[in-house]
Amino acid sequence: MTVTTNRLRIAIQKSGRLSQDSQALLTSCGLKINLREQRLIAHVENMDIDLLRVRDDDIPGLVMDGVCDLGFVGENVLEEVSLQRQLDNETYDYTVLARLDFGGCRLSIAVPQEEDYKSVKDLEGRTIATTYPRLLNRYLKQNGVNCRIVNLKGSVEVAPRAGLADAICDLVSTGATLEANGLKEVEVIYRSKAVLIQRRDLADEKQLKLIKKLMPRIQGVMQANE
Ligand code: PRP
Ligand code: ZN
Ligand code: MG
């Protein structure tokens, strides 16, 4: 059974690089969020909105399946899930309402610092660890390079030292993680920012009205931040 509710459901990352900024943006738009740290759902006290606090990787699917109406998510995660769903013949529909001014990062390939790296061809036959296998695979195909991809959900940056892979493909923001693990960035394969997405089939009048009221506020907050 699916829970039906008239309240607009917005998926946000529970904890991670986008959590604070997503919440701050909503607060700046006038939402009074009643947040209890351990709760999955946070009610908005002055509007018919609930926040669902979930893992970032789950957000695209929740919106594409129509379980949540809106979602704040990184384009990197969104693109990876879209590719996965296309390959699996699942629905991957959504609308981008806004590209946001936070969550900037790049998905890059990195190799051990001491490695003599000249071009992407140097990766031929190597093993690469990543949390983004489909984005990586697309990039390697476009460049005519064959690699073995090892799927890791976390601790990707230690894979080379642990002897699990020759290289990694992971998110880079400041570069501190690569540096700390003796790795250097050699190829940028995707540039990402946070986006606000909406489910394609949203039809509830009241909810659409609420979104119409919210969007100019979001644009306003972003302009004020410029
Ligand atoms: C990413 C990535 C690195 C870190 C890189 O993780 O996996 O761990 O950020 O950032 P830096 O270049 O500033 O050091 P993220 O925070 O997205 O968490 P997640 O991998 O658990 O989703
Ligand atoms: Zn994540
Ligand atoms: Mg990480």
Side-chain angles (χ1 to χ4, degrees), residues 50-67:
D50 287 334
L51 301 186
L52 268 93
R53 304 167 64 238
V54 295
R55 281 188 53 138
D56 62 345
D57 330 50
D58 288 334
I59 294 174
L62 288 170
V63 173
M64 290 167 184
D65 290 334
V67 178

